């Protein structure tokens, strides 16, 4: 297996070339010791020796019109299903041609290479639209993404769960992904 692809594949959660900065908010998966809860973590001081970990739940934005919530989640579902079925055209139909955290053509080439090299599956959990801006027509969607990848040549399989935030923007009546931030 080409180690460059393995590292790239799992650092991005088998997802998109658009991973980047860490975000102050974080979702917790079952692997983190939380059943299905999401939260933000803050730590106490090291001087006391106590962790003083406080978790505030990640909550869905209250201002999302029901039809927009449905459309945003449908776009995310189309992206996941297209990826899992190696449908490059269906997958790219969910990506903005003017993304903010990655290059469209590089993303297409990267995902095509992943499809050729791996049998990869993404399984999102704890999907929450945490921010919705009606004026800017943007939505921030938080999730825990389990990615399982099997190298086609060697059969070696690896799974990883990452916390991610995808940013969607409404373009010409459809919701498209413009950014992705993956956190370790």
């Amino acid at each position: 297996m080409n180690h460059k692809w393995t590292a790239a594949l799992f650092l991005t959660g088998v997802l998109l070339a658009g991973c980047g900065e860490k975000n102050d908010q974080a979702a917790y998966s079952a692997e983190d010791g939380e059943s299905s809860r999401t939260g933000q973590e803050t730590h106490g001081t090291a001087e006391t020796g106590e962790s003083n970990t406080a978790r505030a739940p990640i909550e869905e934005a209250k201002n999302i019109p029901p039809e927009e919530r449905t459309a945003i989640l449908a776009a995310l579902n189309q992206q996941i299903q297209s990826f899992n079925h190696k449908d490059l055209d269906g997958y790219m139909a969910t990506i903005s041609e003017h993304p903010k955290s990655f290059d469209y053509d590089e993303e297409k080439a990267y995902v095509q290479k992943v499809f050729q090299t791996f049998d990869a599956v993404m399984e999102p959990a704890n999907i929450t639209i945490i921010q919705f801006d009606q004026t800017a027509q943007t939505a921030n969607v938080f999730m825990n993404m389990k990615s399982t990848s099997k190298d086609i040549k060697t059969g070696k399989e690896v799974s990883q769960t990452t916390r991610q935030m995808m940013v969607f923007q409404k373009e010409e009546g459809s919701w498209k992904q413009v950014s992705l931030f993956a956190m370790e």
Side-chain angles (χ1 to χ4, degrees):
M1 174 192 286
N2 183 330
H3 294 294
K4 175 183 170 198
W5 279 108
T6 304
L9 189 63
F10 292 105
L11 287 175
T12 61
V14 186
L15 247 187
L16 321 158
C19 90
E21 306 152 22
K22 290 192 178 193
N23 192 300
D24 289 334
Q25 295 175 315
Y28 291 90
S29 70
E31 290 182 6
D32 294 319
E34 297 290 319
S35 57
S36 62
R37 215 174 102 186
T38 57
Q40 182 174 359
E41 182 176 2
T42 57
H43 296 281
T45 65
E47 294 172 4
T48 63
E50 298 176 15
S51 70
N52 293 333
T53 300
R55 292 190 178 113
I58 297 222
E59 297 179 9
E60 184 159 275
K62 305 281 188 236
N63 65 331
I64 309 168
E67 65 278 2
E68 297 294 7
R69 182 182 190 283
T70 298
I72 294 163
L73 295 177
L76 173 63
N77 186 56
Q78 177 185 341
Q79 185 177 88
I80 299 299
Q81 294 306 314
S82 296
F83 185 92
N84 289 346
H85 291 101
K86 296 186 176 189
D87 174 3
L88 184 62
D89 292 336
Y91 176 84
M92 293 308 295
T94 68
I95 304 293
S96 171
E97 290 186 18
H98 310 286
K100 296 179 180 171
S101 71
F102 54 92
D103 178 88
Y104 180 86
D105 293 327
E106 288 176 8
E107 175 71 2
K108 186 174 182 177
Y110 174 77
V111 172
Q112 187 171 26
K113 182 70 172 174
V114 169
F115 289 169
Q116 293 168 353
T117 310
F118 299 97
D119 286 327
V121 176
M122 296 188 302
E123 300 173 62
N126 304 324
I127 299 168
T128 307
I129 302 172
I130 61 169
Q131 185 175 15
F132 180 80
D133 185 329
Q134 183 71 38
T135 305
Q137 295 284 284
T138 60
N140 296 349
V141 183
F142 236 14
M143 72 199 74
N144 294 317
M145 184 67 77
K146 180 179 179 186
S147 304
T148 304
S149 178
K150 182 176 180 180
D151 185 287
I152 293 171
K153 290 182 183 175
T154 67
K156 183 176 180 180
E157 186 173 301
V158 180
S159 289
Q160 176 179 347
T161 300
T162 58
R163 293 172 283 231
Q164 300 182 352
M165 184 179 71
M166 289 184 178
V167 180
F168 286 85
Q169 184 165 354
K170 198 168 193 180
E171 298 177 356
E172 300 176 16
S174 298
W175 288 94
K176 308 283 186 172
Q177 181 189 348
V178 294
S179 296
L180 170 72
F181 303 95
M183 297 150 277
E184 294 180 22

